[in-house]
Amino acid sequence: MIIDTHAHLQDKKLRENLENVLGRAKEVGVEKIICVGYDLASSQEAVLLARKYKQIYAAVGIHPHDAQTLTSEVLGKIRNLAKDPRVVAIGEIGLDYYRDLSPRDKQKEAFIEQIKLAHEIGKPIIVHDRDANQDVIDIAKKQRAGKNGGIMHCFSGNLPLAMEAIKEGFYISFAGPLTYKNAKKAQEVATKIPQNRLLVETDCPYLTPEPLRGKLNEPAHVRFVVQKMAELRNQHPDEIAYLTGRNAREVYRIKD
Ligand code: NI
């Protein structure tokens, strides 16, 4: 049984066919899906979906792209959503220096505010890090961000960084790029980190894995990430599905 630890089912293309999307996921053994927010509206929608469908859980938070929108009023609304029992994490939060859609100071401030929120309510965080490795790990350490557990989502750093994050309490999650030919760095990390820290995700509708690259991504396709990880680690795909599912339950504290 596989858990897709990071999906954006609120996306219009997935939302329009949600029953079919969920049906196809179930058919191939994807048992649970974490629907992750990136701004206030998508966080609200993630919670609604998680209340409606028992295989969906929600994460709520403001993405670094939207860091500028995190006023105290918005933070208050995220806090209220975060208390919902269907919400298993604060995310996605972090830093994105690749696109720099919000000023970096504002990104850091929003990241720290939301780490504090996660501490306050006792839930893990989902971290988005693009071209910001050093600042992310510095803030994570200083704020003890992994105190309640955390996930480095769609990990793109090197092995030393992964080991440092693990030491801070983080799990390392891999998406479609793990299956790409040029993903040597991610493949090395997925091969060498301890198996009790591995997670799989789609980040759908983005990052479609091989051999479906170019098509719309959806939770059912996470099985190709599982297969690739199994190949890399020389383990059976069922074993990877089991391990990553167990790890996901652990970090998100999913009981059923
Ligand atoms: Ni995402």
Side-chain angles (χ1 to χ4, degrees), residues 127-133 152-159 161-162 172-175 177 183-187 189 201:
V127 176
H128 169 104
D129 168 6
R130 191 142 186 221
D131 289 358
N133 291 167
M152 293 293 176
H153 126 78
C154 192
F155 190 74
S156 62
N158 59 18
L159 187 60
L161 185 80
I172 311 291
S173 184
F174 296 92
K184 295 291 172 232
K185 199 166 60 173
Q187 290 170 358
V189 177
E201 62 170 287

Short mmCIF file of all heavy atoms in Angstrom, two decimals, residues 127-133 152-159 161-162 172-175 177 183-187 189 201:
data_model
loop_
_atom_site.label_atom_id
_atom_site.label_comp_id
_atom_site.label_asym_id
_atom_site.label_seq_id
_atom_site.Cartn_x
_atom_site.Cartn_y
_atom_site.Cartn_z
N VAL A 127 8.64 20.90 3.76
CA VAL A 127 9.54 21.96 3.32
C VAL A 127 9.79 21.91 1.81
O VAL A 127 10.17 20.87 1.26
CB VAL A 127 10.88 21.88 4.07
CG1 VAL A 127 11.86 22.93 3.55
CG2 VAL A 127 10.66 22.07 5.57
N HIS A 128 9.57 23.06 1.18
CA HIS A 128 9.93 23.27 -0.23
C HIS A 128 11.25 24.04 -0.24
O HIS A 128 11.35 25.11 0.34
CB HIS A 128 8.82 24.09 -0.90
CG HIS A 128 9.17 24.59 -2.28
ND1 HIS A 128 8.68 24.02 -3.43
CD2 HIS A 128 9.96 25.62 -2.69
CE1 HIS A 128 9.15 24.67 -4.48
NE2 HIS A 128 9.93 25.65 -4.06
N ASP A 129 12.26 23.48 -0.90
CA ASP A 129 13.58 24.11 -0.98
C ASP A 129 14.04 24.08 -2.42
O ASP A 129 14.29 23.02 -2.99
CB ASP A 129 14.56 23.32 -0.09
CG ASP A 129 16.03 23.70 -0.31
OD1 ASP A 129 16.30 24.66 -1.07
OD2 ASP A 129 16.89 23.03 0.28
N ARG A 130 14.11 25.26 -3.02
CA ARG A 130 14.67 25.29 -4.38
C ARG A 130 15.80 26.31 -4.41
O ARG A 130 15.58 27.49 -4.15
CB ARG A 130 13.57 25.62 -5.40
CG ARG A 130 14.06 25.40 -6.80
CD ARG A 130 13.02 24.82 -7.74
NE ARG A 130 13.66 24.52 -9.01
CZ ARG A 130 13.12 24.75 -10.19
NH1 ARG A 130 11.91 25.24 -10.29
NH2 ARG A 130 13.78 24.45 -11.30
N ASP A 131 16.99 25.82 -4.68
CA ASP A 131 18.20 26.66 -4.74
C ASP A 131 18.41 27.47 -3.47
O ASP A 131 18.93 28.59 -3.52
CB ASP A 131 18.14 27.61 -5.95
CG ASP A 131 18.31 26.86 -7.26
OD1 ASP A 131 18.51 25.63 -7.22
OD2 ASP A 131 18.24 27.50 -8.33
N ALA A 132 17.98 26.91 -2.33
CA ALA A 132 18.12 27.65 -1.07
C ALA A 132 18.63 26.73 0.04
O ALA A 132 18.39 26.98 1.21
CB ALA A 132 16.77 28.26 -0.69
N ASN A 133 19.36 25.67 -0.35
CA ASN A 133 19.81 24.63 0.59
C ASN A 133 20.36 25.19 1.90
O ASN A 133 19.92 24.78 2.98
CB ASN A 133 20.94 23.79 -0.02
CG ASN A 133 20.47 22.90 -1.17
OD1 ASN A 133 21.28 22.36 -1.91
ND2 ASN A 133 19.17 22.75 -1.34
N MET A 152 11.47 16.90 3.80
CA MET A 152 12.10 17.65 2.73
C MET A 152 11.47 17.13 1.44
O MET A 152 11.77 16.03 0.99
CB MET A 152 13.62 17.43 2.72
CG MET A 152 14.31 18.02 3.93
SD MET A 152 14.20 19.84 3.90
CE MET A 152 14.97 20.23 5.48
N HIS A 153 10.57 17.94 0.88
CA HIS A 153 9.74 17.45 -0.22
C HIS A 153 10.47 17.63 -1.55
O HIS A 153 11.21 18.58 -1.73
CB HIS A 153 8.39 18.18 -0.15
CG HIS A 153 7.95 18.89 -1.36
ND1 HIS A 153 7.41 18.23 -2.43
CD2 HIS A 153 7.95 20.19 -1.67
CE1 HIS A 153 7.10 19.14 -3.35
NE2 HIS A 153 7.42 20.32 -2.93
N CYS A 154 10.28 16.65 -2.44
CA CYS A 154 10.93 16.64 -3.76
C CYS A 154 12.40 17.01 -3.61
O CYS A 154 12.89 17.97 -4.18
CB CYS A 154 10.23 17.59 -4.71
SG CYS A 154 10.78 17.35 -6.41
N PHE A 155 13.11 16.20 -2.84
CA PHE A 155 14.47 16.55 -2.43
C PHE A 155 15.41 16.67 -3.63
O PHE A 155 15.44 15.80 -4.50
CB PHE A 155 15.01 15.51 -1.45
CG PHE A 155 16.29 15.92 -0.80
CD1 PHE A 155 16.29 16.88 0.19
CD2 PHE A 155 17.51 15.36 -1.20
CE1 PHE A 155 17.48 17.28 0.79
CE2 PHE A 155 18.69 15.75 -0.59
CZ PHE A 155 18.68 16.72 0.40
N SER A 156 16.19 17.75 -3.64
CA SER A 156 17.10 17.97 -4.77
C SER A 156 18.52 18.28 -4.31
O SER A 156 19.38 18.63 -5.12
CB SER A 156 16.57 19.11 -5.65
OG SER A 156 16.53 20.31 -4.89
N GLY A 157 18.77 18.14 -3.02
CA GLY A 157 20.11 18.43 -2.50
C GLY A 157 21.03 17.22 -2.62
O GLY A 157 20.66 16.18 -3.18
N ASN A 158 22.24 17.36 -2.07
CA ASN A 158 23.19 16.24 -2.13
C ASN A 158 23.11 15.38 -0.86
O ASN A 158 22.34 15.66 0.05
CB ASN A 158 24.60 16.75 -2.39
CG ASN A 158 25.06 17.71 -1.30
OD1 ASN A 158 24.49 17.75 -0.20
ND2 ASN A 158 26.09 18.49 -1.58
N LEU A 159 23.93 14.33 -0.84
CA LEU A 159 23.87 13.38 0.28
C LEU A 159 24.23 14.00 1.63
O LEU A 159 23.49 13.76 2.61
CB LEU A 159 24.77 12.16 -0.04
CG LEU A 159 24.70 11.01 0.95
CD1 LEU A 159 23.29 10.44 1.08
CD2 LEU A 159 25.68 9.90 0.57
N LEU A 161 23.77 17.00 2.67
CA LEU A 161 22.63 17.82 3.09
C LEU A 161 21.49 16.93 3.59
O LEU A 161 20.85 17.21 4.60
CB LEU A 161 22.15 18.71 1.94
CG LEU A 161 21.04 19.67 2.35
CD1 LEU A 161 21.61 20.89 3.06
CD2 LEU A 161 20.23 20.12 1.12
N ALA A 162 21.23 15.83 2.87
CA ALA A 162 20.17 14.90 3.28
C ALA A 162 20.47 14.35 4.67
O ALA A 162 19.59 14.29 5.53
CB ALA A 162 20.05 13.76 2.27
N ILE A 172 13.01 12.29 3.94
CA ILE A 172 13.40 12.78 2.62
C ILE A 172 12.46 12.18 1.57
O ILE A 172 12.36 10.96 1.45
CB ILE A 172 14.86 12.40 2.29
CG1 ILE A 172 15.81 12.75 3.44
CG2 ILE A 172 15.30 13.02 0.98
CD1 ILE A 172 16.04 14.23 3.68
N SER A 173 11.77 13.06 0.85
CA SER A 173 10.74 12.59 -0.08
C SER A 173 11.17 12.80 -1.53
O SER A 173 11.75 13.83 -1.88
CB SER A 173 9.43 13.36 0.19
OG SER A 173 8.41 12.84 -0.64
N PHE A 174 10.88 11.79 -2.36
CA PHE A 174 11.27 11.82 -3.77
C PHE A 174 10.03 11.78 -4.67
O PHE A 174 9.09 11.04 -4.41
CB PHE A 174 12.19 10.66 -4.10
CG PHE A 174 13.49 10.73 -3.35
CD1 PHE A 174 13.63 10.11 -2.13
CD2 PHE A 174 14.55 11.48 -3.85
CE1 PHE A 174 14.82 10.21 -1.41
CE2 PHE A 174 15.74 11.59 -3.15
CZ PHE A 174 15.88 10.95 -1.93
N ALA A 175 10.10 12.57 -5.74
CA ALA A 175 9.00 12.66 -6.71
C ALA A 175 9.51 12.20 -8.08
O ALA A 175 10.58 11.60 -8.20
CB ALA A 175 8.49 14.10 -6.76
N PRO A 177 11.10 13.40 -10.60
CA PRO A 177 12.47 13.62 -11.09
C PRO A 177 13.43 12.47 -10.76
O PRO A 177 14.42 12.30 -11.46
CB PRO A 177 12.88 14.92 -10.39
CG PRO A 177 11.60 15.66 -10.24
CD PRO A 177 10.56 14.59 -9.93
N ALA A 183 19.05 12.73 -13.16
CA ALA A 183 18.84 12.96 -11.72
C ALA A 183 19.84 12.19 -10.86
O ALA A 183 19.47 11.61 -9.85
CB ALA A 183 17.42 12.59 -11.33
N LYS A 184 21.11 12.21 -11.26
CA LYS A 184 22.12 11.39 -10.57
C LYS A 184 22.23 11.71 -9.07
O LYS A 184 22.40 10.81 -8.25
CB LYS A 184 23.50 11.59 -11.23
CG LYS A 184 23.55 11.08 -12.67
CD LYS A 184 23.45 9.54 -12.73
CE LYS A 184 23.31 9.04 -14.16
NZ LYS A 184 22.15 8.12 -14.35
N LYS A 185 22.15 13.00 -8.75
CA LYS A 185 22.32 13.41 -7.35
C LYS A 185 21.17 12.85 -6.49
O LYS A 185 21.41 12.23 -5.46
CB LYS A 185 22.35 14.94 -7.27
CG LYS A 185 22.95 15.49 -6.01
CD LYS A 185 23.27 16.97 -6.12
CE LYS A 185 22.04 17.81 -6.41
NZ LYS A 185 22.25 19.26 -6.36
N ALA A 186 19.93 13.05 -6.94
CA ALA A 186 18.77 12.54 -6.19
C ALA A 186 18.83 11.01 -6.11
O ALA A 186 18.51 10.42 -5.07
CB ALA A 186 17.47 12.98 -6.86
N GLN A 187 19.25 10.39 -7.19
CA GLN A 187 19.34 8.92 -7.19
C GLN A 187 20.37 8.42 -6.18
O GLN A 187 20.14 7.42 -5.51
CB GLN A 187 19.66 8.42 -8.61
CG GLN A 187 18.47 8.61 -9.56
CD GLN A 187 18.81 8.36 -11.02
OE1 GLN A 187 19.96 8.08 -11.36
NE2 GLN A 187 17.81 8.48 -11.88
N VAL A 189 21.20 9.97 -3.41
CA VAL A 189 20.61 10.16 -2.08
C VAL A 189 19.59 9.06 -1.79
O VAL A 189 19.61 8.45 -0.71
CB VAL A 189 19.95 11.56 -1.97
CG1 VAL A 189 19.28 11.72 -0.62
CG2 VAL A 189 20.98 12.67 -2.18
N GLU A 201 6.32 10.62 -3.39
CA GLU A 201 5.25 11.59 -3.65
C GLU A 201 5.14 11.81 -5.15
O GLU A 201 6.04 11.41 -5.91
CB GLU A 201 5.61 12.92 -2.98
CG GLU A 201 6.90 13.53 -3.54
CD GLU A 201 7.16 14.96 -3.08
OE1 GLU A 201 6.45 15.86 -3.57
OE2 GLU A 201 8.07 15.15 -2.26
#
